[in-house]
Short mmCIF file of all heavy atoms in Angstrom, two decimals:
data_model
loop_
_atom_site.label_atom_id
_atom_site.label_comp_id
_atom_site.label_asym_id
_atom_site.label_seq_id
_atom_site.Cartn_x
_atom_site.Cartn_y
_atom_site.Cartn_z
N ASP A 1101 7.71 -9.51 -27.90
CA ASP A 1101 6.56 -8.61 -27.99
C ASP A 1101 6.58 -7.61 -26.85
O ASP A 1101 6.33 -7.96 -25.69
CB ASP A 1101 5.25 -9.41 -27.97
CG ASP A 1101 4.05 -8.58 -28.39
OD1 ASP A 1101 3.75 -7.59 -27.70
OD2 ASP A 1101 3.41 -8.92 -29.40
N ALA A 1102 6.85 -6.35 -27.17
CA ALA A 1102 6.97 -5.31 -26.13
C ALA A 1102 5.64 -5.06 -25.43
O ALA A 1102 5.62 -4.72 -24.24
CB ALA A 1102 7.47 -4.01 -26.76
N MET A 1103 4.54 -5.24 -26.13
CA MET A 1103 3.24 -4.95 -25.52
C MET A 1103 2.94 -5.94 -24.39
O MET A 1103 2.41 -5.56 -23.33
CB MET A 1103 2.14 -5.00 -26.58
CG MET A 1103 2.37 -4.04 -27.75
SD MET A 1103 2.53 -2.32 -27.22
CE MET A 1103 0.83 -1.93 -26.84
N ILE A 1104 3.29 -7.19 -24.60
CA ILE A 1104 3.10 -8.18 -23.53
C ILE A 1104 4.09 -7.94 -22.40
O ILE A 1104 3.78 -8.16 -21.23
CB ILE A 1104 3.21 -9.61 -24.10
CG1 ILE A 1104 2.04 -9.87 -25.06
CG2 ILE A 1104 3.20 -10.64 -22.97
CD1 ILE A 1104 2.07 -11.22 -25.75
N GLN A 1105 5.27 -7.44 -22.72
CA GLN A 1105 6.23 -7.10 -21.67
C GLN A 1105 5.71 -5.96 -20.80
O GLN A 1105 5.91 -5.97 -19.58
CB GLN A 1105 7.57 -6.74 -22.31
CG GLN A 1105 8.27 -7.93 -22.93
CD GLN A 1105 9.48 -7.54 -23.77
OE1 GLN A 1105 9.85 -6.38 -23.84
NE2 GLN A 1105 10.08 -8.53 -24.44
N VAL A 1106 5.05 -4.99 -21.42
CA VAL A 1106 4.39 -3.93 -20.63
C VAL A 1106 3.35 -4.55 -19.71
O VAL A 1106 3.23 -4.18 -18.53
CB VAL A 1106 3.75 -2.87 -21.55
CG1 VAL A 1106 2.91 -1.89 -20.73
CG2 VAL A 1106 4.81 -2.12 -22.34
N CYS A 1107 2.59 -5.52 -20.24
CA CYS A 1107 1.57 -6.19 -19.43
C CYS A 1107 2.19 -6.90 -18.23
O CYS A 1107 1.58 -6.96 -17.15
CB CYS A 1107 0.81 -7.21 -20.28
SG CYS A 1107 -0.18 -6.48 -21.59
N ASP A 1108 3.39 -7.44 -18.41
CA ASP A 1108 4.09 -8.12 -17.31
C ASP A 1108 4.28 -7.17 -16.14
O ASP A 1108 4.06 -7.53 -14.98
CB ASP A 1108 5.43 -8.65 -17.83
CG ASP A 1108 6.26 -9.33 -16.74
OD1 ASP A 1108 5.66 -10.02 -15.89
OD2 ASP A 1108 7.48 -9.17 -16.75
N TYR A 1109 4.67 -5.93 -16.43
CA TYR A 1109 4.83 -4.93 -15.38
C TYR A 1109 3.48 -4.56 -14.77
O TYR A 1109 3.35 -4.43 -13.55
CB TYR A 1109 5.52 -3.68 -15.94
CG TYR A 1109 6.99 -3.85 -16.20
CD1 TYR A 1109 7.44 -4.42 -17.39
CD2 TYR A 1109 7.94 -3.45 -15.27
CE1 TYR A 1109 8.80 -4.60 -17.64
CE2 TYR A 1109 9.31 -3.61 -15.51
CZ TYR A 1109 9.72 -4.19 -16.69
OH TYR A 1109 11.07 -4.35 -16.93
N VAL A 1110 2.48 -4.39 -15.61
CA VAL A 1110 1.16 -3.97 -15.14
C VAL A 1110 0.57 -4.98 -14.17
O VAL A 1110 0.10 -4.63 -13.08
CB VAL A 1110 0.21 -3.73 -16.34
CG1 VAL A 1110 -1.24 -3.59 -15.86
CG2 VAL A 1110 0.63 -2.49 -17.11
N VAL A 1111 0.57 -6.27 -14.54
CA VAL A 1111 -0.07 -7.27 -13.68
C VAL A 1111 0.73 -7.48 -12.40
O VAL A 1111 0.15 -7.80 -11.35
CB VAL A 1111 -0.31 -8.61 -14.42
CG1 VAL A 1111 -1.33 -8.42 -15.53
CG2 VAL A 1111 0.99 -9.20 -14.97
N SER A 1112 2.05 -7.30 -12.46
CA SER A 1112 2.86 -7.40 -11.25
C SER A 1112 2.50 -6.27 -10.28
O SER A 1112 2.36 -6.49 -9.07
CB SER A 1112 4.34 -7.34 -11.61
OG SER A 1112 5.15 -7.43 -10.45
N ILE A 1113 2.35 -5.06 -10.81
CA ILE A 1113 1.95 -3.91 -9.99
C ILE A 1113 0.58 -4.15 -9.37
O ILE A 1113 0.38 -3.95 -8.16
CB ILE A 1113 1.94 -2.63 -10.83
CG1 ILE A 1113 3.37 -2.21 -11.19
CG2 ILE A 1113 1.22 -1.49 -10.10
CD1 ILE A 1113 3.45 -1.12 -12.25
#
Side-chain angles (χ1 to χ4, degrees):
D1101 194 298
M1103 303 302 285
I1104 294 177
Q1105 290 170 5
V1106 172
C1107 294
D1108 178 37
Y1109 286 83
V1110 168
V1111 293
S1112 180
I1113 289 168

